[in-house]
């Protein structure tokens, strides 16, 4: 950049060039390699009607069937959704929502009745959905300590600063720390089937197998403590909003307790968008021909612990079957059909344009 | 205007170093000299050493705006309240960039250091304690007395004390300093010139008081105080560092300036950094992007404030505000900075580095090009500046020097017309055998002629032919030197004369020797001595020269040669018929661009001559009006001559010059010739290289001497051009074919140096520019180096066009430095032009390849590169902007931090670099064949603000789709095992994967030339992306650093889903399709020339290669004078006075010892040597490379040693 114009090498080069023979100069001839002479063999694609138009048709012809397939599959999925937030006064949970206080000992329970008009075959997945809940807020997202959740003992007693203000409770560090853990969804949902003679039977809900395998087995680990979680967490406090400490999330099943509680893991995988659903329970298909959820009346028993009304949030229960492409998702099918059709139409339009205006002779009008 | 003028005025003054101190140096007195602490002789052009490298280099690097900007970002990121990204996302690219730059700087500096070392360690002989000792250069000190030997470089600026030659003379070559290859003579003071032995030198204790160090090469003032006397010193007594001692066995000198204080080092100031227009555009665009960045930041910050006010406050149940977060507004303020951090990638740090890398690559391709390698000289093209390449694709004006650039400065006797008979073959069909001159033992074997009928005529003793060559052998001012029997060397004042005398020599009229009174010829083997009675010298008004000789038979004859127009006026009526025939021949010569002279003689009556001679002697003694009186006398005697014929000399053009000029003209590049030569010579070259043609509508010659004259001529010309041009232009518009445009009125402008001086005044310069730009050809002759620079400056200032100056000599340096791009022709006339240039090569014709192939490619590649680069970064970064609307404007990133870190430097850097390095739209043959392909570069079409907008718009659209397609698909997305993966990490991985695939497909569409490297880089980058993705999200890395790699397992869970791939596929197609449609429609409906040539190229590739038929440039001719003679006045007198006649020449066959001393003659000889290029080399050196060694061959001591 700031080179000086004087260069002793050149001074010398000039001298030798002027007086010495051709022996030196021979070496200066550049190599005759394809690379140095910029003659590397190369493929030189050109956008011609012959290559572009077929591409459009092919895309169209591939996308439209995919789209139709997706759309049909998505439509075949049965899904039932019910909002139990309790905003309107005729909602069963109106009172619970209205009279919510943080430190009650007596949980408020409400019951929502609903009817399934179609039977749900195969496994049914039970989700809770939250709206207007900003799990993707930067301060929220970073408010966790993965080392602590991974069972790191030092992080257990001294969590990361990112967890503030849910890092310590008094002098005792919180486990699990941070805003995410603190806001763990803690409604309890129980589903009952009301059969034709009004007898009520509880539907068995499977609570394991709802988290990703990697999360459950690699990312989340309980701190070592000779198998006794109470001991392992003895120097820590429970998160502020929690009613019970982490080692009592599922006292009956040590494989689902503490940090590796699957409800907890599912919650900790923060959603991308403010409206989201998370898997709550799985209703396994019973053997035999009976549908998993036959049509008829159901009763949803909610232990209403989780306040969302204050920020205008919503809580929903979703029951859904799934297919090869996952859950009910009309967007992809429609998008594929649309894009495929547009491609196909564009192909046609371009073909017409190309033929109508194709009056060039490729080489005739090139001035040389 | 005033300011501009001031700038020009400042130009020459800037060299003057204003320091009013004096320097005292005492010979052999170190203690005394040490008191002043003068610089020692060590030079240091390197900037760093091992310890200072890091701090200095870093300091320099952080002075660049981009680097400073990124360090500011880094600091912002360290503030936890703002930091939306980890520190490594910025520091990794920054360190990467810094390291690359540092490595480059370090290698450059290392090479500088090596060359410094090499120079510093050269040996020189220093007088220390009574004996000569070998010392390294760097240990030479001011006041030392050193000994130099022949062909050694001068180690420092030294005062010449004595030399091996008589009178303390010595010769130096100053090519390194001023580019002049002729030898210069230096003479020591008479008092010191006999100090030639060591004991005397030991006792020398003179003290020099002189000017302080400065950079004026041609000036030195000082005084030597010795033995109580004062002796004035000037430049003629100094040997400057950088010179080479020639033809002098040894000399002693006293060091006055050493090392960095030498004039050479004082002259190499830091070179001004040239910037390309793309650079400037890029800087503007980066500023716009900054502005855009700030706008986005403000929008999002406002969004954040609103969100915090209406939503965030309520959401504090689950996400309380930080303690310092007093209000939503303050929170918005912090968010602004957070967004500045995460959106900073719209101004990519890797942009600058990538651009540098590309330019470096392009420079290497220029260096490596075998088609620009000149094998006879062994010089390859060299890109000396690596930052200007793309500007080579935008050149609109070329300013070319003539001598040595367009021409080889070799004159060849090519044709002649004797007594109405024309001899010589058309130079375009040199198939006939060269004439055999073996009958003549004294012939110059390098002389070639292609018409044997002339030899026949000579052998037949045709009197007219004999008289013709006798005239050529007698009427000239050439000095002969016969080193051995038959080994004749001519030293001619102008190459034209050399060519003529050499022709006469070969045809049997050998000019053998001269004394002040005689000329000895060897006519067909017979020695004849003519008495030289008078030389009627050449000047620019007379345009002729004559000699009056008395033959051995006692006849007095006047022989004259000169411009045809002049000679024809003074012919005897008896020659009238011959005149017409000769005139026809002359016009034929003129049509071929040959330089012509007419020859005539006159028999003089003894008595008449005696009277005339007396008047001449009288006239030459008068003091007043001597010149005029002589001219009258000359005129008088040169009347009534008889025509002999005419000669035609070819001023040999460099190879391929007319073709190159024709080709560059087709590319709409205007070529202006700026030459120090005379009007006639310049015009002649104009014709011979087809810049001037007889079918041009008009050639304006402006040579007025006063301001009024010039203005009048100018305005006249302008009005004529514009009136004519107006009519024809409308015609051209009616028929919009490209062909027609070439035929519209063609004008040429030839302007003289005197007139130019007037025209460059502010009030006229616009008129000049307008007129010049309407003309197809502009030739400026008799211009000074300063004027060359001013003309370039004028065009550069007013035309907003890229200018290129090409030249070979020291007089071209100013223009080379002024122009946007300077090109030096290497190996012709020293290194000065090359050292000042940005590109150098050996032949003018390589310019065609440099511009039309390398320049065009570089521009094309750079534009594509920039377009893609901005597109890519906008597509990448703006996703965050859209996401802001869905995450409470909280500056949450979409991607994994590692992805942000690596995207620009790993995932997408190599494919775009490969495209920028290897892409070719059209191959080199077609680039040369269709010069019009060059025009888009001149019109700045491939990358400008509009293109930038389109790129960024496409980038924005892509980012929009990249975000909103997954946004539509995701909220309800569920894995096949029912677990949802609408989580933020899966979202990030999906978008990142789509992005990488979309930009890869896009670069695939942008790449026109898929070499193996492109394939490797594009597919490789995709694979590397997936490899790194899985590695970063693997169990192992999470196990080691749980907090740095929180994305564990996301890729595995996410990319195993069919629906994710469906989203990726959909995104890719939707993002790429619109661009593809637009591009296809453009190519299909409005194909550019490039598209057509590409298509043609492809269809031709299938057919196999075709022979390219180049059109021969043919000229039509009409009568005009082709007289041109690069001669100067004044040598006739020197010859008759005998001042420059050397002992050895007078007695050309006497003892060898005397010949060996011959080089110690006067300076005129050296001047002669420079002028003479043809006949100077002795016949023995024929086998070697006579051209490259030029005038110095006859002086070379090894040659002399042979005798």
């Amino acid at each position: 950049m700031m080179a000086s114009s004087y260069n002793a090498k050149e001074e010398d080069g000039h001298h030798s060039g002027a007086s010495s023979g051709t022996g030196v100069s021979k070496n200066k001839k550049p190599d005759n390699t394809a690379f140095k002479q910029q003659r590397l063999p190369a493929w030189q694609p050109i956008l011609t009607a012959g290559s572009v138009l077929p591409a459009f048709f092919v895309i169209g012809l591939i996308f439209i069937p995919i789209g139709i397939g997706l759309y049909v599959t998505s439509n075949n999925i049965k899904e039932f959704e019910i909002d139990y937030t309790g905003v309107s006064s005729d909602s069963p949970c109106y009172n619970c929502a209205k009279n919510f206080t943080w430190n009650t000992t007596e949980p408020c329970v409400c019951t929502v009745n609903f009817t399934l008009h179609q039977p749900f075959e195969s496994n049914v997945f039970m989700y809770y959905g939250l709206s207007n809940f900003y799990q993707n807020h930067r301060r929220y997202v970073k408010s966790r300590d993965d080392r602590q959740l991974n069972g790191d003992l030092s992080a257990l007693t001294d969590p990361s600063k990112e967890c503030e203000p849910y890092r310590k409770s008094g002098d005792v560090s919180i486990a699990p720390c941070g805003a995410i853990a603190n806001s763990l969804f803690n409604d309890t949902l129980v589903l009952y089937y009301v059969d034709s003679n009004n007898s009520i039977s509880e539907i068995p809900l499977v609570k394991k197998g709802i988290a990703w395998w990697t999360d459950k087995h690699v990312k989340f680990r309980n701190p070592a403590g000779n198998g006794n979680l109470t001991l392992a967490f003895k120097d820590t406090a429970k998160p502020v909003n929690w009613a019970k400490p982490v080692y009592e999330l599922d006292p009956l099943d040590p494989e689902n307790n503490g940090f590796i509680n699957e409800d907890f893991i599912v919650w900790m995988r923060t959603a991308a968008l403010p409206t989201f659903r998370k898997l709550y329970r799985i209703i396994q298909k019973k053997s035999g021909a009976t549908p998993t959820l036959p049509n008829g009346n159901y009763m949803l028993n909610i232990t209403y612990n989780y306040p969302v009304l204050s920020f205008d949030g919503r809580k929903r229960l979703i029951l859904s079957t799934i297919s090869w492409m996952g859950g009910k998702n009309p967007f992809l099918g429609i998008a594929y059909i649309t894009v495929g059709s547009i491609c196909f139409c564009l192909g046609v339009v371009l073909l017409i344009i190309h033929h109508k205006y194709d009056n060039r002779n490729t080489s005739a009008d090139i001035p040389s | 205007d005033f300011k501009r003028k001031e700038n020009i005025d400042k130009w020459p003054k800037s060299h003057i170093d204003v320091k009013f101190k004096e320097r005292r140096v005492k010979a052999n007195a170190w203690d005394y000299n040490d008191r002043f602490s003068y610089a020692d002789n060590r030079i240091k052009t390197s900037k760093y050493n091992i310890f200072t490298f890091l701090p200095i280099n870093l300091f320099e690097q952080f002075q660049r705006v981009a680097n400073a900007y990124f360090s500011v970002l880094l600091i912002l990121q360290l503030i936890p309240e703002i930091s939306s990204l980890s520190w490594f996302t910025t520091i990794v690219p920054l360190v990467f960039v810094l390291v690359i730059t540092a490595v480059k700087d370090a290698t450059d500096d290392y090479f500088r250091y090596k060359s410094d070392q090499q120079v510093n360690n050269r040996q020189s002989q220093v007088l220390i304690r009574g004996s000569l000792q070998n010392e390294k250069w760097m240990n030479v000190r001011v006041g030392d007395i050193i000994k130099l030997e022949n062909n050694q470089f001068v180690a420092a600026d030294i005062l010449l004390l004595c030399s091996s030659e008589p009178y303390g003379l010595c010769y130096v070559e100053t090519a390194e300093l001023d580019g002049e290859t002729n030898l210069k003579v230096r003479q020591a003071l008479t008092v010191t010139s006999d100090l030639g032995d060591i004991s005397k030198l030991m006792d020398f204790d003179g003290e020099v008081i002189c000017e302080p160090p400065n950079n004026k090469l041609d000036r030195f003032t000082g005084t030597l105080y010795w033995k109580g006397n004062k002796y004035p010193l000037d430049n003629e007594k100094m040997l400057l560092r950088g010179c080479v001692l020639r033809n002098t066995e040894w000399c002693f000198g006293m060091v006055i300036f050493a090392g960095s204080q030498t004039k050479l080092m004082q002259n190499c100031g830091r070179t001004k950094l040239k910037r390309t227009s793309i650079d400037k555009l890029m800087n503007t665009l980066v500023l716009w992007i900054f502005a855009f960045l700030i706008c986005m930041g403000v929008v999002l910050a406002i969004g954040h404030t609103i969100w915090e006010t209406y939503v965030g406050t309520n959401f504090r149940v689950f996400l309380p505000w930080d303690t310092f977060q007093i209000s939503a507004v303050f929170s918005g303020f912090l968010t602004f900075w957070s967004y500045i951090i995460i959106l900073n990638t719209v101004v990519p740090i890797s942009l600058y580095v990538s651009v540098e890398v590309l330019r470096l690559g392009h420079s290497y391709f220029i260096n490596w090009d075998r088609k620009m390698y000149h094998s006879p000289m062994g010089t390859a093209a060299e890109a000396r500046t690596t930052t200007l390449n793309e500007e080579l694709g935008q050149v609109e004006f070329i300013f070319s020097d003539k001598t040595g650039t367009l021409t080889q400065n070799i004159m060849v006797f090519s044709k002649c017309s004797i007594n109405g008979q024309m001899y010589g073959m058309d130079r375009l069909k040199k198939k006939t055998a060269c004439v055999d001159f073996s009958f003549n033992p004294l012939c110059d074997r390098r002389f070639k002629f292609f018409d044997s009928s002339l030899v026949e005529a000579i052998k037949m003793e045709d009197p007219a032919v004999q008289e013709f060559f006798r005239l050529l052998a007698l009427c000239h001012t050439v000095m002969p030197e016969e080193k051995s029997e038959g080994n004749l060397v001519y030293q001619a004042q102008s190459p034209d004369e050399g060519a003529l005398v050499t022709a006469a020599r070969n045809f049997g009229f050998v000019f053998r020797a001269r004394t002040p009174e005689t000329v000895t010829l060897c006519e067909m083997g017979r020695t004849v001595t003519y008495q030289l009675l008078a030389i009627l010298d050449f000047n620019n008004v007379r345009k002729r020269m004559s000699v009056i000789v008395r033959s051995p038979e006692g006849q007095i004859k006047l022989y004259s040669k000169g411009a045809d127009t002049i000679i024809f006026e003074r012919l005897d009526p008896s020659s009238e018929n011959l005149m017409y025939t000769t005139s026809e021949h002359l016009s034929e010569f003129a049509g071929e661009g040959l330089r012509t002279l007419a020859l005539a003689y006159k028999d003089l009556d003894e008595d008449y001559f005696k009277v005339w001679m007396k008047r001449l002697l009288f006239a030459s003694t008068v003091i007043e009006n001597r010149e005029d009186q002589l001219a009258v006398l000359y005129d008088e005697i040169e009347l009534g001559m008889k025509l002999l014929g005419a000669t035609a000399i070819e001023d040999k053009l460099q190879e391929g010059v007319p073709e190159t000029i024709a080709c560059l003209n087709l590319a709409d590049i205007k070529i202006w010739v700026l030459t120090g030569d005379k009007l006639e010579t310049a015009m002649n070259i104009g014709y011979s290289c087809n810049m001037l043609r007889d079918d041009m509508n008009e050639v304006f010659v402006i040579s007025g001497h006063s301001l009024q004259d010039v203005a009048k001529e100018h305005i006249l010309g302008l009005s004529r051009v514009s009136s004519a041009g107006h009519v024809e232009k409308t015609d051209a518009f009616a028929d919009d074919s490209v062909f027609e445009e070439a035929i519209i009125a063609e004008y040429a402008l030839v302007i003289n140096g005197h007139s130019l001086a007037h025209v460059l005044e502010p009030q006229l310069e616009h008129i000049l520019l307008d007129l010049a730009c309407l003309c197809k050809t502009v030739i400026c002759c008799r211009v000074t180096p300063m004027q060359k620079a001013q003309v370039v400056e004028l065009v550069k200032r007013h035309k907003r066009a890229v200018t290129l100056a090409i030249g070979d000599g020291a007089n071209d340096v100013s223009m080379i430095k002024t122009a946007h791009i300077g090109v030096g022709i290497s190996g012709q006339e020293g290194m000065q032009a090359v050292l000042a240039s940005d590109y150098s090569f050996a032949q003018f014709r390589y310019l065609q390849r440099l511009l039309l192939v390398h320049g065009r490619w570089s521009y094309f590649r750079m534009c594509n590169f920039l377009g893609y680069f901005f597109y890519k970064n906008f597509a990448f970064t703006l996703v965050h902007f859209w996401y802001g609307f869905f995450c409470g404007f909280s500056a949450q990133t979409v991607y994994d931090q590692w992805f942000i870190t690596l995207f620009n430097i790993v995932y997408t850097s190599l494919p775009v670099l490969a495209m920028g390095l290897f892409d070719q739209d059209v191959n080199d043959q077609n680039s040369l064949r269709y010069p019009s392909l060059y025009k888009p570069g001149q019109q700045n079409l491939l990358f400008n603000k509009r293109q930038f907008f389109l790129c960024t718009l496409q980038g924005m659209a892509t980012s929009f789709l990249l975000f909103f397609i997954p946004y539509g698909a995701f909220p309800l997305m569920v894995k096949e095992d029912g677990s949802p993966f609408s989580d933020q990490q899966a979202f990030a991985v999906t978008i990142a994967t789509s992005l990488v695939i979309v930009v890869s497909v896009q670069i695939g569409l942008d790449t026109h030339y898929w070499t193996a490297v492109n394939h490797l880089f594009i597919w490789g980058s995709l694979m590397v992306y997936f490899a790194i993705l899985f590695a970063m999200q693997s169990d192992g890395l999470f196990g080691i650093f749980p907090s740095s790699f929180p994305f564990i397992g996301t890729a595995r869970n996410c990319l195993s889903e069919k629906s994710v791939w469906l989203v990726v596929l959909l995104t890719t197609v939707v993002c790429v399709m619109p661009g593809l449609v637009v591009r296809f429609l453009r190519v299909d409906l409005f194909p550019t020339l490039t598209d057509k040539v590409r298509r043609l190229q492809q269809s031709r590739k299938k057919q196999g290669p075709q022979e390219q038929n180049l059109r021969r440039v043919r000229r039509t001719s009409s009568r005009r004078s082709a007289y041109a003679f690069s001669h100067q006045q004044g040598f006739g007198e020197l010859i008759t006075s005998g001042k420059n006649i050397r002992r050895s020449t007078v007695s050309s066959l006497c003892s060898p010892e005397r010949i060996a001393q011959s080089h110690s003659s006067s300076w005129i000889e050296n001047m002669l040597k420079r002028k003479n290029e043809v006949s100077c080399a002795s016949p023995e050196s024929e086998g070697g490379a006579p051209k490259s060694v030029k005038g110095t061959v006859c002086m070379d001591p090894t040659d002399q040693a042979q005798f």
Side-chain angles (χ1 to χ4, degrees), chain A residues 4 159 186 201 231 237 248 284 296 299 307 335:
Chain A
S4 72
N186 56 358
S201 58
L231 217 63
E248 281 172 25
Q284 294 280 3
M299 204 171 86

Side-chain angles (χ1 to χ4, degrees), chain B residues 677-701:
Chain B
D677 254 331
K678 295 197 290 187
L679 187 77
E680 294 91 352
T681 327
M683 278 181 79
N684 217 285
I685 287 300
Y687 279 100
S688 67
C689 54
N690 220 24
M691 294 178 66
L692 297 175
R693 281 186 312 274
D694 291 314
D695 57 358
M696 283 186 145
N697 296 40
E698 194 155 354
V699 176
F700 302 109
V701 179

Side-chain angles (χ1 to χ4, degrees), chain B residues 557-831:
Chain B
K557 278 192 171 178
L558 177 140
Y559 291 107
S560 184
K561 66 179 181 193
D564 46 1
T565 45
I566 304 278
I567 297 284
F568 284 3
E569 283 170 8
R570 347 197 111 253
L571 288 185
D572 194 68
S574 63
S575 292
E576 196 167 333
N577 279 336
L578 181 58
M579 194 178 92
Y580 289 126
T581 346
T582 310
S583 179
E584 269 171 39
H585 292 164
L586 279 170
S587 65
E588 197 171 314
F589 297 153
E592 286 172 38
L594 301 174
R595 313 166 73 150
T596 57
L597 284 176
L599 311 184
Y601 77 100
K602 182 182 177 185
D603 292 312
L604 289 178
D605 181 53
E606 181 82 44
D607 301 330
Y608 172 73
F609 174 71
K610 270 186 185 153
V611 175
W612 182 84
M613 197 63 196
K614 268 185 193 148
R615 288 167 61 201
L616 181 72
L617 285 174
F618 175 75
S620 53
T621 51
V622 297
I623 291 150
E624 262 173 62
N625 287 337
R626 189 194 312 176
E627 298 288 310
D628 296 344
Q629 293 196 24
L630 285 178
V632 170
L633 276 174
Y634 289 172
D635 263 5
E636 199 182 302
I637 201 161
E638 287 169 329
L639 260 181
M641 297 186 288
K642 293 198 182 85
L643 186 63
L644 268 174
T647 59
I649 291 175
E650 184 185 345
D651 184 0
K652 272 206 142 177
L653 292 177
Q654 299 263 7
E655 224 175 298
V657 165
E659 291 82 1
T660 305
I661 289 178
C663 185
L664 293 176
N665 264 328
L666 282 178
D668 266 5
I669 301 174
K670 298 194 175 61
I671 302 175
W672 294 21
V673 176
L674 309 178
T675 173
D677 254 331
K678 295 197 290 187
L679 187 77
E680 294 91 352
T681 327
M683 278 181 79
N684 217 285
I685 287 300
Y687 279 100
S688 67
C689 54
N690 220 24
M691 294 178 66
L692 297 175
R693 281 186 312 274
D694 291 314
D695 57 358
M696 283 186 145
N697 296 40
E698 194 155 354
V699 176
F700 302 109
V701 179
I702 295 176
S703 51
H705 276 258
S706 72
L707 191 61
Q708 279 79 13
D709 287 355
V710 176
K712 208 161 54 186
E713 287 179 55
H714 245 89
I715 291 159
L716 208 68
L718 189 63
S719 62
R720 266 184 290 178
V721 174
S722 52
S723 63
H726 189 69
V727 177
E728 271 147 312
K729 242 179 207 163
T730 46
D731 283 354
F733 270 104
D735 188 349
D736 63 348
S737 162
V738 195
F739 286 109
E740 302 307 277
E741 238 172 294
I743 325 177
I744 62 160
E746 291 196 348
Y747 296 93
L749 176 70
V750 180
I751 186 161
N752 206 315
H754 295 292
S755 316
L756 201 59
H758 296 301
V759 178
L760 288 173
E761 301 276 312
Q763 63 264 42
L764 271 183
E765 59 179 23
H766 275 283
I767 302 179
L768 168 75
L769 205 60
D770 292 344
L771 178 58
C773 290
L774 286 170
C775 291
K776 197 114 177 110
T777 300
V778 178
I779 297 176
C780 305
C781 41
R782 283 254 172 255
V783 290
T784 62
M786 250 328 272
Q787 281 179 326
K788 288 187 178 186
Q790 284 174 348
V791 172
V792 175
E793 181 68 36
L794 177 74
V795 173
K796 205 171 141 187
R797 208 160 358 103
H798 292 298
K799 290 308 268 191
R800 288 174 161 259
V802 177
T803 56
L804 180 148
I806 178 168
D808 71 319
N811 56 348
D812 305 315
V813 168
S814 59
M815 108 176 148
I816 284 173
K817 280 189 170 160
T818 310
H820 291 105
I821 302 166
V823 178
I825 301 278
S826 50
Q828 298 283 327
E829 229 188 272
M831 293 294 284

Side-chain angles (χ1 to χ4, degrees), chain A residues 8 12 30 37 40 138 336 354, chain B residues 118-119 122 368 890 1062 1084:
Chain A
D12 267 11
Q37 302 307 315
L40 286 175
R138 179 168 58 89
Y336 262 88
H354 176 70
Chain B
Q118 197 243 328
V119 170
R122 282 188 191 154
W368 284 334
S890 61
L1062 286 172
D1084 205 49

